[in-house]
Amino acid sequence: MSGKAQRMHISLTSPFIVKMWVIIFLVEFVKGSLLVALLPVYMEHILGLSVTVVGFSFALQYLGDNLFRSPSGWVMERIGYRWTMTGALLLILLALTLIIVAKNAAWLSLACLILGIGTSPLWPCVMTGVTELAGSTQSGSSGAAMGAVEMASLAGTGIGPITVNFLMDHGGYSYRTTFFVLLACAVAVVAVALLLPKRIDPAHPSPVKDTNAVDGGGSSSKQMNPLQSLKRTFTQLKTTLKVSRLLYPALFLQAFAIGLMTPVVTLFARTELHVSPNQFSLLLIAGGGITVLTLIPAGRLVDRIGTTLFLNIGFLLAAFSMTLFSMVRWLPFVFGAVALVGISYALILPAWNAFLAKQVPKGERGTVWGLFLTLQGSGMVAGPVLSGKLWDSVGHGVPFLVSAFVMLLLFGLHLLIVRRTGRKVQAL
C-alpha cells in the first residue's frame, strides 16, 4: 500500500472506534453501577448477606474478567469482533437476569462470575482493533485512540454509580427497577455489538474482511480443528513475540500501583483527611475529571511526539503526587495533589497503551493483547491484598508511598526497555 493511500493518524470518528466507544461506555456504566453503587448495599442490607459473601462475589467477578482475557483474545482471532463481543455481552444480560431473580449467595456469586467472563473480551478486542487501525496509518501511532477509549471507560465507571444513586435517591426507583434499567442498557450494548465488523481490513480500515478469506500463510483457521489452531498459536507466539523480558514485570507493576490505592483511598480520605462525603466527591472529580478531560489531548501529543517522554514524565509525576497525597493534610494541598495524580495518569494511560501496541506482533494480536491484559490485571488482584495488610500493620499512608515507589520502578524499567529495544534496532 502506498503512503498516499494511508492516513496520518487513526480517525476518532472511525465507525469501529465510535462503536467500541459506545460499548465500553455502556459496559463500564453497567459494571460500575453494579459493583460500586448497587450490589454491596443490595446484598448486605436487602438480602442480608455478609460482607464476606459480598467480597467473595466481587473477587469472582474480577477473576472471571482476568482469567478469560487471553482465551477471549484467541477466540476473537478465530471468529471476529462481532460474534466474540455479542456472545460475551449476552453473558452480561444473563448475569443481570440472575441478579434480578437470585435471593441467595450461591446464585449471586455465580452471577458475578458470569459478569466477569462477559466483560473479559472487551479490552482485548478494543486494543487489537486500535492496533490494527494504527497499522493502516503512516505514523502507526495509536495514542489519541487509546486516550479516547480510556476516556469512555472512566466516564462510564464514574457516571454509572452517580446515575443510579440519583435514580434511587431522587427518582424513587427501587432496586428491582434500577436493575431493569441496567438490563435495558445491556440490551442496547448487544445491539451495538451486532454492528461491529467481523474483521478489520488493514488496507481499508472501514470495510470488513471476508470471514472466509485465508490468512497470509494460505490456510484458513476455520479449516483447522481447535487443537491444531491452538498449537499453531503457540508456535506463532514463540516466533513473533519478541519483547524485552522486563516488559512482563512492568505490565504487572503498572496495575499493581493502582491496586495498592484502590481499596484504601476512601478510608484514607475519611480517617486521615476528615473530608465530608461532598468534599470526597469533589476530590474524585478533581482527579478523575482532569484525567478524562486530558486523555485525548495527551493522546494526540503522544501520536506526534512519541511515548517515551510522556511515560517518563508521567511515572515521575505520579510518584511525586502520590507521595505528596500521603503526607499533606491541608485541604487545598490535598486537591492539588489529587489533580497532579489525575494529570499523571492522563499522561501515562494513552502513552502506555500505545507503547504496548508497538510490542504486539501482527500475528495473533488478540491473543497477545489478552496475555498482556491478563498480566496487567494480576497486579490489580495482588495490589489490594498487600494494601490492606500495609494499612492495618504499618500505617495508613504507606500504601500510597509503596505505590509511589512502584512508579519509580516503572520509570526505571521503561528506560531499560527503551534502551534495550533501541540497541536491538541498531544491531539489525
Side-chain angles (χ1 to χ4, degrees):
M1 178 173 50
S2 67
K4 293 181 179 179
Q6 288 183 312
R7 300 162 301 154
M8 284 300 298
H9 300 290
I10 300 174
S11 171
L12 298 186
T13 59
S14 161
F16 180 85
I17 295 292
V18 171
K19 289 165 191 172
M20 290 307 301
W21 199 98
V22 173
I23 290 172
I24 291 171
F25 175 81
L26 288 176
V27 169
E28 295 297 341
F29 180 95
V30 171
K31 186 177 170 182
S33 299
L34 287 172
L35 299 183
V36 176
L38 290 175
L39 283 182
V41 180
Y42 176 73
M43 293 174 72
E44 185 181 4
H45 296 302
I46 304 301
L47 299 183
L49 301 175
S50 68
V51 177
T52 302
V53 171
V54 176
F56 179 75
S57 299
F58 281 27
L60 285 177
Q61 186 278 327
Y62 194 83
L63 188 68
D65 189 352
N66 199 43
L67 287 181
F68 283 85
R69 284 181 177 182
S70 192
S72 63
W74 184 82
V75 169
M76 186 273 293
E77 291 279 357
R78 270 93 201 139
I79 66 174
Y81 296 98
R82 181 188 303 165
W83 300 119
T84 302
M85 286 303 304
T86 301
L89 295 173
L90 286 173
L91 289 179
I92 296 179
L93 276 176
L94 175 60
L96 279 166
T97 304
L98 282 176
I99 290 170
I100 291 170
V101 301
K103 302 298 179 185
N104 58 55
W107 283 107
L108 280 167
S109 296
L110 177 63
C112 287
L113 176 62
I114 294 172
L115 177 66
I117 297 171
T119 58
S120 62
L122 182 62
W123 286 104
C125 285
V126 171
M127 296 303 190
T128 303
V130 171
T131 306
E132 289 186 345
L133 288 174
S136 67
T137 65
Q138 285 182 6
S139 66
S141 188
S142 56
M146 294 296 187
V149 296
E150 289 284 1
M151 185 182 76
S153 173
L154 291 172
T157 302
I159 293 173
I162 293 172
T163 302
V164 297
N165 282 332
F166 179 82
L167 289 175
M168 297 186 70
D169 294 341
H170 301 283
Y173 282 53
S174 65
Y175 279 99
R176 190 175 182 83
T177 304
T178 307
F179 285 138
F180 275 111
V181 171
L182 296 181
L183 195 66
C185 292
V187 171
V189 176
V190 172
V192 176
L194 287 169
L195 300 176
L196 286 172
K198 294 177 182 178
R199 309 270 181 216
I200 295 177
D201 186 344
H204 304 90
S206 292
V208 177
K209 275 186 182 178
D210 180 4
T211 54
N212 294 317
V214 296
D215 58 25
S219 63
S220 172
S221 60
K222 284 190 174 183
Q223 295 172 354
M224 297 183 182
N225 63 47
L227 184 59
Q228 288 177 319
S229 185
L230 192 60
K231 288 181 178 178
R232 180 182 176 224
T233 297
F234 284 122
T235 302
Q236 214 169 357
L237 288 179
K238 287 179 181 179
T239 56
T240 61
L241 185 57
K242 298 178 180 178
V243 299
S244 170
R245 292 181 180 179
L246 295 174
L247 181 65
Y248 300 114
L251 284 164
F252 173 85
L253 291 173
Q254 196 271 339
F256 182 68
I258 301 173
L260 283 166
M261 297 187 296
T262 303
V264 297
V265 65
T266 303
L267 293 173
F268 187 82
R270 292 181 179 179
T271 60
E272 297 294 323
L273 304 179
H274 306 292
V275 299
S276 67
N278 287 336
Q279 288 173 328
F280 183 65
S281 296
L282 290 174
L283 280 175
L284 292 178
I285 292 171
I290 286 176
T291 303
V292 169
L293 292 175
T294 316
L295 277 170
I296 291 182
R300 291 189 183 279
L301 288 173
V302 168
D303 288 340
R304 294 181 181 180
I305 301 172
T307 62
T308 302
L309 179 64
F310 281 84
L311 287 175
N312 289 338
I313 295 174
F315 290 142
L316 291 176
L317 183 60
F320 169 75
S321 56
M322 283 187 281
T323 302
L324 184 64
F325 179 75
S326 71
M327 294 180 174
V328 297
R329 295 296 182 269
W330 189 41
L331 203 55
F333 280 177
V334 173
F335 273 95
V338 169
L340 288 176
V341 172
I343 293 171
S344 69
Y345 272 91
L347 297 176
I348 291 170
L349 289 175
W352 178 253
N353 289 330
F355 173 71
L356 291 182
K358 293 178 181 178
Q359 316 297 317
V360 176
K362 291 183 179 180
E364 299 293 344
R365 277 176 170 151
T367 307
V368 174
W369 266 118
L371 173 64
F372 284 179
L373 292 168
T374 296
L375 289 172
Q376 205 163 261
S378 62
M380 283 295 292
V381 175
V385 175
L386 179 60
S387 179
K389 291 183 177 180
L390 291 172
W391 176 275
D392 290 333
S393 59
V394 184
H396 293 177
V398 175
F400 302 98
L401 292 175
V402 175
S403 183
F405 177 71
V406 170
M407 284 296 175
L408 290 177
L409 281 180
L410 278 168
F411 171 76
L413 283 173
H414 173 250
L415 286 181
L416 289 173
I417 292 169
V418 171
R419 186 172 297 177
R420 289 186 180 183
T421 304
R423 287 175 181 172
K424 287 183 180 179
V425 171
Q426 289 177 358
L428 292 174

